[in-house]
Amino acid sequence: MSAPKVEPATEGRARGIALVRAVSIVSAADRGAFAAVVCLFAVSGLGVAGLVLIGNQLLHELIAQGGAADVSGRTWWLVAAAIGVAGAVSFAGAAGAGMHRLLAERTVRYCAEVILRLAGQVPLREFDSPAFHDKLQRATRTGVQSAIPIAMAVPQLLGALVGSAGLAVGLAVVSPWLVPITLLASVPLWLAGKSNSQEMYSFSFGNTPGDRARFHIEHLTNERKSAPEVRAYRLAPYLLRRWSTLYDERIEGISALVRRFVRRSAVGSLVGSVVLGGVILLVLHFVRRGDLTLGSAATACVAVLLLANRSQQAATSLAQTMEHGLHLQDFVELRDRVEHFERAGRIRRASHPAEVEPLARLVVGDVSFSYPSAARPALDQVSFDIAAGEVIAIVGHNGSGKTTLAKLLCGLYEPTDGAVHWNDRPMSELAGDGGLSEVGVVFQDFGRYWFSAADNIAVGDIERNLDRAAIEDSAEQAGADDFLRRLPDGFDTPLGMEVEGGADLSVGQWQRVAIARVLFRNASFIVLDEPTASLDAEAEAALFETIEGLRAGRTVVLISHRFSTVRSADRILVLHDGRLVENGSHDELMALDGRYRRMYQLQSSAYVDS
């Protein structure tokens, strides 16, 4: 993968946009702190220029007085002014450094918050796209990890520009011709920084898949969930080798870049030093011709050196700011994209589900769905309807489309073709890509939050998270209250061994917490995706009794590969390769003597044989 090609004619415009982008993000993080830092840096820069001008006047005053014993009042005023300006510069520098750090932290927080908001609002199907994950990875890395460098570089750039402008004015008072020549000394470093930043951006863009692979290995190695398998198969050395190979490739690429950067920067510094030396020689030439006094020449030399330093700082900061600004393209695109979705009304915030009437009838009409990188559709022209109060089971081999259909029924996916109607209204209009208030779901990979046991249940309806009585009642209905009350702090115990003071739960106990979560939501339509997959026979029977209790006033869709669980459903839908091939009750499908009967007999024979 390589960075998008930029035509030379538009490169300047792209860099200008990158600069504006970086400045806008830092200012958006905290406008007050941004303004304060820029003002303090400006005071520091202008104060240095003021000291040069005051020093020039003071030097001329002392030369004019010669060896006189009495010091004129003007001299004392100049000394007092120098002391006052020096104090202001010192204060501005110290205060600016502190405010600068605060601004950096606020910028990090702003970027991290934007990424979290984006990840929570983009359509769910985007998470099935490798291209989206690459973009999200770049946005996360550049938006959050580049936040501190950007927050540091932008105010430094503006402060250096203001300081350079002040020094240029001071130097122009002595000799206007010295200003443009001195500024030329910063051009070579700017050109070198410009090339360096473009190469680093191209490298970072192209290395995104490798970075994602490396982060995945780090996740596998560090996560408690994968730690047992890593040890059981002695995978740690193998994973470390793969990780090292990926990191070595990255370092090798950066090393090649750094070698070019050093050569380019050395040439730029050498040319800049030659130009600066020429300026000093020009000052000496003016003195020999009598165009400058010794006092003015001394002032000019100091101003030239300071202006060269500040302008080179500005060139370096400008190059850094533009480099990070280029990196921020993905970050800004994702942010703007979500804002577009919000304006179009296609996305609902997860914390504010769409309010709808309880389910009376759900109609799935000729629904097809394809994942972005899939060769064939996951669902192909599926049609059926569900009436309120029904218990519907969905069965099929792995990969038949069961979980995909569950997400469509919940309104989390929009069909590629066809439509799902909730009480005669398209679910896409009701949900966008977020959850409905009347829909509750337990997925196979349900969330296991590092929250208290009570909060793990309350996430089912976070607006009611303080309703402790309802939380405990939901736990009791799900058969979870007994083991939750026995935890060290009862319902207030954090769940997860990774958390200090946290307690661990078995898979079956976690599933009951997930069931309690959906009960707490008090939705009229519930989808359970493999709710008994990890339970033993006794736990499965107990949980099935709980599921039977869900029928009161609710419509239930149950996805399971265990036919003992689904046979009592009102209707059973059989999926095969994304198509609905059979639809009926257990007795009807057994009499049909089709796919369902073969799968049922195959599974039941295994129990009989054992």
Side-chain angles (χ1 to χ4, degrees):
M1 177 183 292
S2 59
K5 298 295 183 182
V6 180
E7 296 297 330
T10 62
E11 183 178 353
R13 179 173 177 272
R15 290 183 175 277
I17 293 174
L19 176 60
V20 172
R21 186 184 296 141
V23 173
S24 67
I25 287 177
V26 178
S27 62
D30 190 331
R31 298 187 186 281
F34 177 72
V37 171
V38 171
C39 288
L40 288 169
F41 281 6
V43 168
S44 180
L46 292 174
V48 172
L51 286 175
V52 171
L53 292 174
I54 294 171
N56 180 49
Q57 294 297 315
L58 185 58
L59 184 58
H60 281 86
E61 189 72 20
L62 293 175
I63 292 174
Q65 291 181 19
D70 294 331
V71 179
S72 67
R74 186 170 185 273
T75 301
W76 286 116
W77 277 111
L78 288 171
V79 170
I83 294 173
V85 172
V89 169
S90 177
F91 168 78
M99 290 296 294
H100 204 182
R101 183 61 193 174
L102 174 62
L103 178 62
E105 289 295 333
R106 290 195 179 277
T107 305
V108 171
R109 183 192 185 282
Y110 170 77
C111 293
E113 181 180 348
V114 168
I115 291 295
L116 289 174
R117 184 164 58 89
L118 294 176
Q121 290 182 334
V122 295
L124 181 62
R125 67 180 301 164
E126 294 284 1
F127 285 88
D128 301 312
S129 167
F132 171 75
H133 282 285
D134 281 344
K135 179 167 286 191
L136 185 63
Q137 174 65 42
R138 288 194 298 271
T140 302
R141 185 180 67 241
T142 58
V144 178
Q145 296 182 7
S146 295
I148 289 181
I150 291 172
M152 291 295 181
V154 169
Q156 286 173 347
L157 169 62
L158 298 178
L161 290 175
V162 172
S164 297
L167 287 168
V169 172
L171 183 57
V173 172
V174 178
S175 177
W177 290 103
L178 296 177
V179 175
I181 302 174
T182 302
L183 291 176
L184 283 176
S186 62
V187 173
L189 279 180
W190 151 244
L191 293 174
K194 172 185 171 184
S195 298
N196 293 347
S197 64
Q198 182 60 49
E199 287 191 20
M200 180 56 75
Y201 169 68
S202 298
F203 171 81
S204 297
F205 192 101
N207 206 59
T208 301
D211 289 340
R212 281 184 56 211
R214 179 164 48 84
F215 295 153
H216 173 64
I217 293 174
E218 293 174 2
H219 178 78
L220 289 175
T221 305
N222 298 334
E223 277 292 305
R224 178 172 178 264
K225 184 178 180 180
S226 54
E229 185 165 314
V230 169
R231 281 152 182 77
Y233 292 121
R234 299 182 181 272
L235 290 176
Y238 168 73
L239 293 176
L240 181 59
R241 286 196 301 272
R242 291 193 65 152
W243 179 88
S244 297
T245 299
L246 291 167
Y247 223 136
D248 288 344
E249 291 174 355
R250 176 178 176 83
I251 291 177
E252 182 179 351
I254 291 179
S255 298
L257 287 177
V258 168
R259 287 192 292 270
R260 290 198 295 273
F261 291 177
V262 170
R263 290 195 297 268
R264 194 176 289 134
S265 299
V267 172
S269 298
L270 179 60
V271 174
S273 298
V274 170
V275 173
L276 193 58
V279 175
I280 299 298
L281 291 176
L282 186 59
V283 171
L284 296 178
H285 174 67
F286 287 158
V287 171
R288 300 181 81 179
R289 280 177 35 179
D291 295 334
L292 288 178
T293 65
L294 287 175
S296 296
T299 301
C301 288
V302 173
V304 164
L305 294 174
L306 289 174
L307 178 58
N309 177 263
R310 287 301 177 103
S311 61
Q312 289 174 358
Q313 285 182 355
T316 301
S317 296
L318 181 60
Q320 292 175 349
T321 302
M322 287 187 172
E323 176 188 338
H324 292 297
L326 291 171
H327 283 296
L328 289 171
Q329 180 177 349
D330 292 306
F331 177 86
V332 174
E333 282 182 2
L334 287 178
R335 182 183 64 179
D336 293 344
R337 186 179 177 193
V338 167
E339 290 174 355
H340 168 73
F341 284 147
E342 289 176 337
R343 286 193 299 268
R346 295 182 57 206
I347 291 181
R348 307 288 186 188
R349 291 290 185 91
S351 58
H352 299 285
E355 296 295 334
V356 296
E357 294 296 322
L359 179 67
R361 188 176 188 82
L362 189 75
V363 178
V364 179
D366 290 327
V367 163
S368 298
F369 183 85
S370 297
Y371 289 99
S373 57
R376 62 180 182 84
L379 294 174
D380 188 11
Q381 296 182 322
V382 174
S383 297
F384 61 91
D385 59 85
I386 302 175
E390 279 192 297
V391 174
I392 303 296
I394 302 176
V395 300
H397 293 302
N398 291 338
S400 60
K402 301 188 299 296
T403 297
T404 301
L405 180 58
K407 292 175 181 177
L408 283 162
L409 296 179
C410 294
L412 300 177
Y413 280 162
E414 286 188 27
T416 306
D417 292 302
V420 179
H421 286 80
W422 177 286
N423 298 345
D424 297 325
R425 295 183 61 187
M427 286 193 72
S428 58
E429 295 180 3
L430 298 173
D433 282 290
L436 294 175
S437 60
E438 287 293 333
V439 176
V441 59
V442 178
F443 291 115
Q444 295 182 55
D445 297 323
F446 51 81
R448 304 183 186 194
Y449 304 99
W450 289 359
F451 305 159
S452 69
D455 286 344
N456 260 281
I457 296 173
V459 295
D461 188 358
I462 202 62
E463 297 298 324
R464 297 167 50 225
N465 67 319
L466 299 181
D467 191 348
R468 188 60 172 259
I471 290 172
E472 295 183 4
D473 182 60
S474 299
E476 183 177 1
Q477 291 182 56
D481 62 321
D482 184 51
F483 62 81
L484 291 180
R485 292 186 189 281
R486 292 200 304 267
L487 295 175
D489 294 316
F491 279 80
D492 295 318
T493 305
L495 300 185
M497 294 299 292
E498 300 91 338
V499 184
E500 184 175 357
D504 197 16
L505 299 181
S506 69
V507 174
Q509 289 173 329
W510 265 115
Q511 284 189 306
R512 288 193 173 276
V513 170
I515 295 291
R517 186 179 298 160
V518 78
L519 288 171
F520 181 68
R521 191 168 182 81
N522 197 27
S524 62
F525 181 65
I526 292 178
V527 177
L528 304 175
D529 188 0
E530 298 286 4
T532 63
S534 302
L535 302 182
D536 56 34
E538 183 178 352
E540 178 184 355
L543 185 58
F544 190 69
E545 291 181 6
T546 300
I547 294 173
E548 280 290 305
L550 294 177
R551 300 188 61 161
R554 298 183 179 93
T555 305
V556 180
V557 172
L558 175 64
I559 300 173
S560 179
H561 69 282
R562 295 190 180 183
F563 288 84
S564 58
T565 304
V566 305
R567 61 177 297 172
S568 61
D570 297 321
R571 280 189 296 135
I572 302 170
L573 309 181
V574 182
L575 292 179
H576 179 67
D577 289 340
R579 299 184 68 90
L580 178 60
V581 294
E582 295 177 14
N583 182 354
S585 67
H586 171 75
D587 292 338
E588 291 170 344
L589 296 182
M590 292 297 288
L592 186 64
D593 196 19
R595 180 170 294 277
Y596 176 83
R597 181 185 179 94
R598 290 195 298 274
M599 289 191 296
Y600 181 83
Q601 290 178 336
L602 181 65
Q603 189 172 108
S604 60
S605 65
Y607 286 105
V608 172
D609 293 343
S610 61

